[in-house]
Amino acid sequence: NAGVTQTPKFQVLKTGQSMTLQCAQDMNHEYMSWYRQDPGMGLRLIHYSVGAGITDQGEVPNGYNVSRSTTEDFPLRLLSAAPSQTSVYFCASSYSKGDRGRNYGYTFGSGTRLTVV
Amino acid sequence: GESVGLHLPTLSVQEGDNSIINCAYSNSASDYFIWYKQESGKGPQFIIDIRSNMDKRQGQRVTVLLNKTVKHLSLQIAATQPGDSAVYFCAENMGDSWGKLQFGAGTQVVVTP
């Protein structure tokens, strides 16, 4: 199992550019989510998905779009990058709350470090 | 413990001693709690979890205690080792929807020889 795979690991963007951060999981998890982590702080939820075709906003959704066309993939799009979006981005996935006998803990990817100049 | 802004609280522990990391959570409707360990440059790593219908759960060298009355969570690490040096986060699953985790700001644990 590869777990949760995020690409790229590092990215530098100019203000106004757009890009897509990729996230893929091979654990057949229903739930996927995106977080950002700023220096010295905890993670903040950007968007999340409870299954293919279903997404919802988290705490800090502005400037980001998501889609979930398959169970495996949950890309995060930056529409017009701003310096305030400089951060480390983490993708996470988990089983459904109702699944019995499974590990409910969320599995995180290793992160994408994004710098917007 | 919790903090606001850029200055993480730091817990300095001597190797071999027990560590206790505290966390106050915000939502009385939260029904699931997780402790994560994050080493520099890596993603959060699951340590242990607990549901709101429990008040204690034990793992390998770790114990999580949940006090719903005062909305307090703690992580105890027995016989702390140098490899335990990291930032520790508590997270609560907000009760209205599975898939939404709210994280505390984290506690830096430094293990000294």
Side-chain angles (χ1 to χ4, degrees), chain A residues 31-33 35 37 39-45 48 50 57-59 90 94-97 103-111 113, chain B residues 3 5-8 31-32 34 36 38 41-46 49 51 89 93-95 97-106:
Chain A
Y31 290 80
M32 297 187 74
S33 47
Y35 295 83
Q37 184 176 33
M41 296 179 69
L43 284 76
R44 291 183 293 168
L45 181 64
Y48 68 104
V50 302
Q57 295 182 347
E59 182 186 354
F90 289 101
S94 79
Y95 286 113
S96 162
K97 183 179 185 180
N103 173 13
Y104 291 97
Y106 296 67
T107 301
F108 281 81
S110 57
R113 187 174 296 273
Chain B
S3 72
L6 299 180
H7 301 288
L8 287 177
D31 58 0
Y32 179 62
I34 313 171
Y36 284 96
Q38 188 177 30
K42 296 184 178 180
Q45 178 186 359
F46 174 89
D49 59 358
R51 294 194 169 276
F89 294 98
N93 191 92
M94 290 178 273
S97 177
W98 188 257
K100 295 169 64 176
L101 285 181
Q102 181 165 306
F103 282 79

